[in-house]
Amino acid sequence: MDIRPITEHDFDAWLPLWKGYQTFYNVEIPEHVTAKTWNRFLNPDEPMYAALAFHEGRAVGMVHWIFHRSCWNEGDYCYLQDLFVDPQLRGTGHGRALIEHVYAQAREKQSPRVYWLTHESNHTAMQLYDRIADRPGFVQYRKAP
């Protein structure tokens, strides 16, 4: 297993994983938003990052994270926004390795916290999350303005 930050040449490897993630969560993100997101990952002035996990030379997992300010700490928090592993390779350690990659990036930037959300029906992933992170008990509320 190899995990590395994306490069401009990785779009064709990343896109099927990004589409698989959207299918899993039953959403369709417009192509222009996908293009904007990809460009943000490649822009060193943006606080958005992406990495791919490779197995036998093939991209099999992806993770996206964002650093942002907090009113509760001096350092930026790290939000792990998207995580996806090819369904055929789930349970092989790729998801955990991708999360640990983000943990390492957060430590490097002296971020006091890595956090993420998942849907309450994502029971399989939550078994992993419960082993490698704390569940603080917060409930998310949201509304489009």
Side-chain angles (χ1 to χ4, degrees):
M1 177 185 336
D2 178 39
I3 296 177
R4 64 166 175 76
I6 59 137
T7 70
E8 61 189 34
H9 306 292
D10 289 325
F11 183 80
D12 290 339
W14 169 82
L15 186 60
L17 296 166
W18 180 231
K19 294 287 188 181
Y21 178 81
Q22 292 174 51
T23 298
F24 181 82
Y25 279 108
N26 198 30
V27 298
E28 281 189 49
I29 296 173
E31 287 185 29
H32 72 277
V33 174
T34 291
K36 180 75 168 181
T37 298
W38 180 256
N39 288 323
R40 286 176 171 162
F41 291 147
L42 298 173
N43 183 343
D45 294 328
E46 289 282 352
M48 295 177 64
Y49 303 88
L52 293 171
F54 291 87
H55 178 77
E56 298 178 354
R58 181 174 70 91
V60 298
M62 56 141 227
V63 65
H64 306 151
W65 65 99
I66 301 168
F67 287 101
H68 68 85
R69 302 280 190 233
S70 168
C71 295
W72 291 21
N73 282 287
E74 287 184 23
D76 291 345
Y77 281 172
C78 180
Y79 176 52
L80 191 161
Q81 186 166 28
D82 309 306
L83 174 70
F84 183 78
V85 173
D86 182 322
Q88 295 179 336
L89 289 170
R90 295 208 179 124
T92 61
H94 289 84
R96 181 184 195 119
L98 285 162
I99 293 169
E100 289 176 351
H101 178 81
V102 174
Y103 285 170
Q105 300 303 305
R107 276 191 302 276
E108 188 175 301
K109 292 211 184 254
Q110 299 181 337
S111 175
R113 177 181 298 163
V114 175
Y115 71 101
W116 63 91
L117 303 170
T118 195
H119 193 270
E120 63 188 11
S121 65
N122 196 359
H123 300 291
T124 302
M126 289 169 65
Q127 291 175 16
L128 168 63
Y129 302 161
D130 287 343
R131 288 193 306 270
I132 64 172
D134 300 322
R135 191 187 314 190
F138 285 91
V139 175
Q140 181 189 32
Y141 291 87
R142 66 180 174 192
K143 180 174 176 29

